[in-house]
Amino acid sequence: MDFGLQGKTALVLGASRGLGAACAQELAREGVRVFAAARDLEAIRAWAAEFGDLVTPVALDMTDAGSVSDLAAQMAAQGIDILVNNSGGPKPGPAMAQTPEAWEEAWAAMAGPIMKLTSALLPGMSERGFGRIITIGSSGIEAPIPNLALSNGVRGALAGWSKTLAAEVAADGITVNMILPGRIATDRVAQLDEAASKRTGKSVGDVQASSRATIPAGRYGKPEEFGAVAAFLASTRASFVTGSMIRVDGGMLRHL
């Protein structure tokens, strides 16, 4: 299937590893020119070598407002067609243990930069009559995950923002969607498994086995499987898919 992405330009946030890197790699395989943004540029260069000039590492610290503003100005001049929004997860913890400062910090790192960068790139997309906004969320949006209060709350707010924005820009040829990962084999999920191990006293292996038992597919997902969904949503083939949240979780969430 031809995704119609040759010659398009993308900005992928959090692209040094994990889901962000997987999305950037799949877009590059489709012939997209990718600006891969993160703090760790060396990590990006390590995986980007196979793609030659298609991938350009760019610096971004989402906890630094100046860094976000600089990237927004830089990318607005690049004719970005595809934006993949991705942010790191906050520390685990229950809702009752979170301070107002913790909520403010989580919002400033996970939501504010995404909204700012999206707003900076939308005018150019509207002028060209083509745009793709893809935001990586979490299964916790639809089924809040215990002990991940900050992530559940902030990503839930992003879901409302994404759905609202989708209706506002659809007539301009811009689609706005979210992808909700379940248990994908990334460093972040490994960290959460280790945290669960310490909290429950179970071994990491037992924690992982318990997690796999909740997934009908019987395993953790592969990052490239997640990246392939992002590439499809970015494609011209997905022009009528907007305002949606797509689960990539091996069937883990059972509700409709």
Side-chain angles (χ1 to χ4, degrees):
M1 180 185 292
D2 181 5
F3 279 2
L5 290 174
Q6 287 282 342
K8 299 295 187 185
T9 302
L11 170 62
V12 181
L13 310 184
S16 58
R17 55 182 56 84
L19 300 181
C23 292
Q25 290 162 13
E26 290 301 321
L27 289 171
R29 290 189 181 101
E30 294 296 327
V32 177
R33 179 189 179 206
V34 178
F35 288 95
R39 287 178 293 186
D40 189 348
L41 298 184
E42 287 305 313
I44 296 173
R45 293 187 182 105
W47 65 253
E50 67 175 283
F51 298 104
D53 294 338
L54 273 178
V55 178
T56 302
V58 290
L60 173 64
D61 181 350
M62 292 182 65
T63 66
D64 182 337
S67 176
V68 175
S69 294
D70 289 347
L71 185 66
Q74 179 184 354
M75 291 295 106
Q78 292 293 336
I80 299 296
D81 302 298
I82 302 157
L83 171 61
V84 179
N85 287 316
N86 178 37
S87 64
K91 293 180 180 179
M96 292 180 64
Q98 305 308 320
T99 64
E101 292 76 17
W103 283 107
E104 290 170 4
E105 289 175 5
W107 181 269
M110 297 171 61
I114 282 175
M115 294 175 176
K116 183 168 187 173
L117 285 163
T118 301
S119 294
L121 299 179
L122 278 172
M125 294 180 181
S126 295
E127 290 175 7
R128 292 185 296 276
F130 179 94
R132 300 288 184 265
I133 307 296
I134 301 166
T135 300
I136 298 174
S138 164
S139 61
I141 292 172
E142 293 192 338
I145 302 169
N147 210 51
L148 286 183
L150 292 173
S151 177
N152 295 336
V154 176
R155 296 195 200 282
L158 281 172
W161 164 81
S162 181
K163 183 68 171 178
T164 303
L165 181 61
E168 295 175 357
V169 300
D172 293 331
I174 301 170
T175 66
V176 185
N177 294 290
M178 294 191 76
I179 312 178
L180 310 186
R183 308 293 288 179
I184 310 294
T186 62
D187 291 346
R188 167 67 173 170
V189 168
Q191 291 168 0
L192 293 176
D193 286 345
E194 289 172 4
S197 172
K198 293 177 181 178
R199 188 176 69 254
T200 63
K202 297 180 180 179
S203 69
V204 172
D206 285 345
V207 168
Q208 293 172 338
S210 295
S211 291
R212 287 194 296 270
T214 69
I215 305 170
R219 62 178 176 85
Y220 285 11
K222 301 174 184 177
E224 57 267 31
E225 293 172 319
F226 185 92
V229 176
F232 172 72
L233 288 176
S235 74
T236 57
R237 298 281 187 165
S239 296
F240 206 56
V241 181
T242 195
S244 298
M245 293 193 295
I246 310 298
R247 300 175 191 165
V248 183
D249 67 357
M252 182 178 70
L253 295 188
R254 309 300 178 94
H255 58 268
L256 295 176

